[in-house]
Amino acid sequence: MINKFTYKPKQFDLSGRKGISDKTLETHFKLYEGYVKETNKLTEKISDILKDAKVDQEEMPAYSELTRRLGFEYNGMVLHEYYFGNMKRQGSVDPDKDSTFRKLAEESFGEYKIWKADFVGIGKMRGVGWAICYQNPANGRLSNHWITLHETGNVSGFAPVLVMDVWEHAFLLDYMPAERPKYIEAFFSNIDWDSCERRLAKETSNQAGA
Ligand SMILES: [Fe+2]
């Protein structure tokens, strides 16, 4: 007997950002809802194959394809939740001087501005994907990574702290394709650094309980 579980799209207050229009965010939210729908649909199809508790040889091609696609859709869903969740109206460009994020960025990179140069540099890389700052739960350090599409490059077990979508759909209604740096600047003026602090605190309490 297979347990049924379906994801529901989370709600975000997306209006009134600086340099990222409401139209862009509404369109982007619809795309996110598509990832939630596809994650549920693929999970359901895989469940259908599994309901007799075996994967027959003739089912293997379909099962494999569905499972591969699930990695794309699942990460697409979750990463958008992090992305929308780390922006807010009247956000601030940089974290407070005495914030945990600032302290960890300095410990991990030497200076906050070096962390930022790395994160922004990754965001400007050619290709379709994400710039993500993760915390390593084993030692608390921050590191920045490029994720291709949604699923390639995520570091297993690391906790996302700041997530920036740099697919063109994130900015094409507001900027030209070559203007990604302007979008990145706009993203930085909308960051909810408190959400990053909460993610770091959650990770620290997980470590304490481990
Ligand atoms: Fe996106």
Side-chain angles (χ1 to χ4, degrees):
M1 175 88 153
I2 287 181
N3 278 334
K4 295 268 180 193
F5 175 83
T6 53
Y7 284 99
K8 293 193 175 44
K10 292 189 174 172
Q11 298 299 312
F12 299 92
D13 178 7
L14 298 167
S15 62
R17 301 291 186 272
K18 280 178 256 170
I20 304 175
S21 64
D22 290 357
K23 182 82 187 145
T24 289
L25 286 163
E26 281 161 23
T27 309
H28 207 163
F29 189 75
K30 290 273 173 244
L31 273 173
Y32 154 66
E33 287 182 319
Y35 285 110
V36 178
K37 212 167 123 191
E38 283 301 310
T39 297
N40 289 332
K41 209 199 292 182
L42 290 170
T43 304
E44 177 83 32
K45 285 183 176 171
I46 292 167
S47 299
D48 281 347
I49 293 174
L50 290 172
K51 67 179 177 237
D52 58 359
K54 58 187 168 60
V55 182
D56 296 330
Q57 201 49 41
E58 66 271 18
E59 290 172 324
M60 191 49 93
Y63 174 79
S64 303
E65 178 57 21
L66 292 167
T67 301
R68 287 197 182 96
R69 284 171 51 198
L70 186 62
F72 175 79
E73 303 291 347
Y74 228 119
N75 278 290
M77 172 178 73
V78 170
L79 290 182
H80 281 101
E81 289 171 357
Y82 277 104
Y83 170 70
F84 293 133
N86 58 216
M87 283 195 290
K88 70 171 184 181
R89 196 181 299 122
Q90 295 172 329
S92 59
V93 175
D94 295 308
D96 285 348
K97 293 262 185 280
D98 57 356
S99 63
T100 304
F101 186 94
R102 172 87 69 154
K103 199 173 97 243
L104 287 172
E106 287 167 357
E107 279 173 22
S108 306
F109 286 82
E111 290 180 69
Y112 168 73
K113 67 179 182 187
I114 297 175
W115 169 83
K116 189 168 178 177
D118 186 41
F119 188 85
V120 170
I122 290 170
K124 290 177 182 171
M125 281 168 55
R126 291 172 69 77
V128 175
W130 301 77
I132 302 185
C133 174
Y134 287 96
Q135 186 178 39
N136 180 349
N139 57 21
R141 288 175 67 84
L142 301 182
S143 54
N144 298 320
H145 299 265
W146 166 255
I147 310 306
T148 303
L149 299 174
H150 306 308
E151 75 276 37
T152 306
N154 293 289
V155 186
S156 185
F158 277 28
V161 179
L162 181 66
V163 173
M164 177 169 68
D165 191 341
V166 289
W167 283 60
E168 285 178 354
H169 64 239
F171 61 89
L172 215 52
L173 294 176
D174 302 326
Y175 303 100
M176 300 294 283
E179 292 180 320
R180 203 196 280 185
K182 284 190 186 170
Y183 157 71
I184 293 173
E185 212 175 299
F187 170 79
F188 261 84
S189 63
N190 294 291
I191 294 177
D192 179 2
W193 290 103
D194 288 341
S195 75
C196 300
E197 292 295 292
R198 286 194 294 276
R199 289 170 186 172
L200 290 168
K202 189 161 174 256
E203 199 48 46
T204 306
S205 70
N206 285 345
Q207 285 164 36

